[in-house]
Amino acid sequence: MTRCDVVIRGGSVFDGTGAPARVADVGVSGGKVVAVSAGEPLDGERVIDAVGKWVMPGMLDVHTHYDAEVLGSPGLGESVRHGVTTVVIGNCSLSTVYSEADDCADMFARVEALPWDAVHAAVKEHKNWDDPKSYAAALAGRPLGANVAALLGHSDIRVAVMGLGRAVDTHAKPTDAELARMRRMLTDALDAGFLGLSTIRSSFSKLEGARFPARQLPSTYATWREYGALNRILRQRNRIHQSTPNLTSRLEIARYFAQSAGRFRKPLKTTLIAGMDVKADRTVARAATTAARLANTVGAAQFRWQHLPVPFEVYADGIDLVIFEEFGAGVAALNIRDVMKRGELLADESYRRQFRKDLAKKYGPRVWHRDLYDAEIMACPEPDVVGRSFGEVADARGIHPADALLDLVVAHGTQLRWRTVIANDQADVLDRLQTSPVVQLGFADSGAHLRNMAFYNFGLRLLERVHERKFMPLETAVHRLTGELADWYGLDAGRLTEGARADITVIDPSGFTGASAEYAEAPFPGIDGLHRMVNRNDRAVAATLVNGELLYEYGEFAPGFGTTLHAGTFLQATGS
């Protein structure tokens, strides 16, 4: 009888390759899977009963903004509790590798809806690195729960080279020497095992802080010549370009397809956000996937859309929500950070005329449907409006829906809380997107938008949908959440086979009760008084193991989790 540190006994084992499950015992020792046995009995110091459960590789979350949180709360418990064992940070041009605390806080706070002080404190207190290699070592030395892999942020290196002022100046371009330095920074990051580079073109992405408030993120000021110079390194090394495009310009998205194309050269692995079925334009999902298929077949590209496999439900306190960045009147309000001054603007009739006009526009690319009859009030000091839409409130009061929204914001500020679904509300379209080969599962924004959204459990919700709707084989869904992502990103993860890293999730399907979609909040670790949206479906995950360490079981974390227990590590990209 083989003796192991941990034995997971009698579960349906999915190996992450897309092969059907088989009932077997899984033995773990020394951080590795040492046996997957349906015959020879295994014995362990710790035995996990998995009869009737699914045993699978730990899931990957490839789009997170844990860059600050991982410094102060390295357990990353909101991911681990949902069966995620590897996260990717450094998305959307944002990382903390080179920039100082002030610059990091200015870049992260508004676009990712994170407290400026929290980002600043995390970087200032914990930064003991000065390059990608020492950054990777610093993360690996922390008591990580999940494994962490990283992209290098373009805004990060642009600020480090040019300074924040020049990096967000429309008229300033990097000198040849500065561009050469950015290329060296990227090369150093790839040598240190970073997965690639992240950039951003979205006009919605703005700076916070007192120095350059409301300027866009530095990466948006770069020319395609600058992108091309960096992409040549990525293409040569077979690494990844992740980006957020300017959704107001479909022509610009074609530039990403062209950069990714590999008909007469090596293709560039490119992944963009987001592949969604947008309520505001039902043609988007089909057009996006069709264009990507053509790019990958005719152009021999390596292109993927990142997709959130659940309804895209967002919440707002007042008007603090990124969708208001889409139009001029919304931007004007968000640019005013002082509560009293913002209230004065929202009460002004000339401003309201423009706000109503912007909401009524029917044409042009957008993400938010701007239908205030499709916006439910969840909390307000006026109890008679709770549970009603702004449109319904407007009808009762004989006013325009926009005025109902603005009246309530002026009166109550962030005490007004409301919700809407902006995308992914049609089950049949979701089914098609989640089976598309040009779609990657994972646009959770984990660690960001603390009061606006919570999709930490997107993988569990997909598995629950597959279990109920059976629109794809369960083993395919597991593969899409594990091995497929690990292979594309070049990570030692996503497999449950002998010799593999023992990053394992045990799923209890009897815990699929619908609770995964319910609203929940919890205190944000390390910040008194701040609550964030979270997910709670504790009966669905029987166990999460990282590097052979049992970190979580049915709602309970292991002693020392995130403080003294070192389980995860910095995962380097594999290959050239």
Side-chain angles (χ1 to χ4, degrees), residues 47-363:
V47 176
I48 299 172
D49 179 9
V51 174
K53 303 176 180 67
W54 307 338
V55 183
M56 56 182 277
M59 290 179 274
L60 283 76
D61 186 347
V62 298
H63 194 108
T64 82
H65 291 285
Y66 278 133
D67 305 70
E69 185 173 338
V70 74
L71 303 177
S73 302
L76 304 179
E78 289 305 326
S79 287
V80 170
R81 73 184 306 134
H82 299 298
V84 172
T85 58
T86 297
V87 303
V88 176
I89 63 175
N91 285 280
C92 299
S93 87
L94 300 171
S95 60
T96 63
V97 178
Y98 284 105
S99 297
E100 297 302 322
D102 285 357
D103 295 332
C104 289
D106 281 3
M107 288 190 285
F108 273 88
R110 178 165 169 175
V111 64
E112 301 304 340
L114 294 167
W116 190 96
D117 290 342
V119 178
H120 184 269
V123 177
K124 189 172 183 63
E125 178 181 352
H126 297 285
K127 187 170 183 178
N128 60 353
W129 58 85
D130 54 17
D131 61 13
K133 184 177 180 180
S134 55
Y135 174 81
L139 289 190
R142 300 194 62 70
L144 297 174
N147 301 305
V148 175
L151 297 157
L152 181 66
H154 183 219
S155 287
D156 183 10
I157 61 174
R158 211 168 195 265
V159 168
V161 169
M162 300 175 66
L164 183 59
R166 287 185 61 233
V168 296
D169 184 341
T170 304
H171 303 292
K173 304 295 182 225
T175 65
D176 289 345
E178 287 171 334
L179 185 54
R181 186 179 169 204
M182 281 190 261
R183 285 170 54 86
R184 287 196 299 273
M185 287 174 160
L186 176 57
T187 298
D188 289 346
L190 301 185
D191 288 345
F194 280 56
L195 306 181
L197 179 76
S198 70
T199 65
I200 196 166
R201 302 289 294 172
S202 171
S203 59
F204 308 155
S205 304
K206 307 287 176 58
L207 294 178
E208 186 62 279
R211 293 175 296 169
F212 304 98
R215 298 272 185 96
Q216 293 175 198
L217 288 183
S219 182
T220 66
Y221 293 87
T223 63
W224 280 93
R225 173 181 175 270
E226 185 175 329
Y227 287 132
L230 298 169
N231 282 343
R232 282 194 290 275
I233 298 173
L234 298 173
R235 182 178 290 108
Q236 181 183 12
R237 298 283 294 270
N238 195 34
R239 299 292 176 84
I240 292 161
H241 182 170
Q242 183 276 326
S243 192
T244 306
N246 184 349
L247 295 176
T248 64
S249 174
R250 293 188 181 182
L251 181 61
E252 187 172 87
I253 295 175
R255 299 290 294 266
Y256 288 98
F257 290 146
Q259 287 281 306
S260 182
R263 181 62 63 187
F264 304 107
R265 59 184 177 181
K266 288 180 69 172
L268 173 65
K269 284 186 172 181
T270 303
T271 179
L272 300 187
I273 61 172
M276 295 193 294
D277 174 28
V278 180
K279 279 187 176 182
D281 185 351
R282 294 299 192 181
T283 69
V284 166
R286 191 175 297 276
T289 52
T290 299
R293 283 196 300 270
L294 288 172
N296 288 347
T297 53
V298 178
Q302 277 280 350
F303 183 91
R304 299 290 187 274
W305 289 108
Q306 292 185 2
H307 166 70
L308 180 69
V310 301
F312 205 116
E313 181 181 47
V314 295
Y315 286 72
D317 295 320
I319 61 166
D320 287 325
L321 185 61
V322 70
I323 57 179
F324 286 98
E325 304 274 15
E326 281 192 334
F327 54 94
V331 171
L334 292 179
N335 283 348
I336 300 175
R337 312 310 284 174
D338 181 87
V339 174
M340 296 296 292
K341 291 181 179 179
R342 181 186 285 181
E344 291 173 3
L345 176 70
L346 299 185
D348 182 78
E349 179 54 33
S350 62
Y351 171 82
R352 290 191 172 207
R353 283 196 297 271
Q354 185 59 51
F355 192 93
R356 291 192 293 264
K357 183 179 178 180
D358 285 347
L359 281 189
K361 288 180 180 177
K362 300 295 184 184
Y363 303 104

Side-chain angles (χ1 to χ4, degrees), residues 403-576:
D403 289 306
L405 166 64
L406 295 177
D407 285 348
L408 290 169
V409 174
V410 170
H412 306 295
T414 57
Q415 290 182 289
L416 170 71
R417 188 154 175 79
W418 57 278
R419 61 169 287 279
T420 189
V421 175
I422 62 175
N424 296 346
D425 58 311
Q426 300 184 110
D428 57 335
V429 180
L430 274 181
D431 293 349
R432 291 200 301 271
L433 285 170
Q434 287 154 26
T435 56
S436 171
V438 299
V439 161
Q440 258 175 14
L441 300 180
F443 170 42
D445 261 352
S446 301
H449 303 285
L450 304 181
R451 298 287 301 161
N452 303 135
M453 61 186 74
F455 304 117
Y456 301 96
N457 66 350
F458 72 94
L460 291 179
R461 292 178 69 179
L462 173 70
L463 293 174
E464 186 170 7
R465 288 190 74 246
V466 170
H467 185 52
E468 292 174 350
R469 293 176 58 83
K470 298 179 170 49
F471 62 91
M472 75 168 108
L474 183 56
E475 58 266 24
T476 302
V478 171
H479 173 62
R480 301 222 70 186
L481 292 165
T482 60
E484 178 182 303
L485 292 170
D487 290 348
W488 201 84
Y489 281 81
L491 289 168
D492 177 19
R495 292 284 187 269
L496 205 171
T497 55
E498 291 184 9
R501 293 175 50 83
D503 299 334
I504 301 170
T505 296
V506 182
I507 303 295
D508 185 346
S510 70
F512 288 154
T513 62
S516 60
E518 294 176 358
Y519 185 90
E521 288 190 11
F524 186 86
I527 303 180
D528 292 339
L530 177 63
H531 281 68
R532 64 171 164 186
M533 291 178 59
V534 296
N535 309 115
R536 289 293 179 267
N537 37 243
D538 292 342
R539 301 307 302 168
V541 177
T544 303
L545 294 85
V546 175
N547 196 30
E549 293 280 357
L550 180 57
L551 299 183
Y552 175 86
E553 288 185 286
Y554 284 125
E556 298 293 332
F557 289 98
F561 177 82
T563 55
T564 59
L565 181 55
H566 290 246
T569 190
F570 184 87
L571 285 189
Q572 298 187 10
T574 59
S576 60

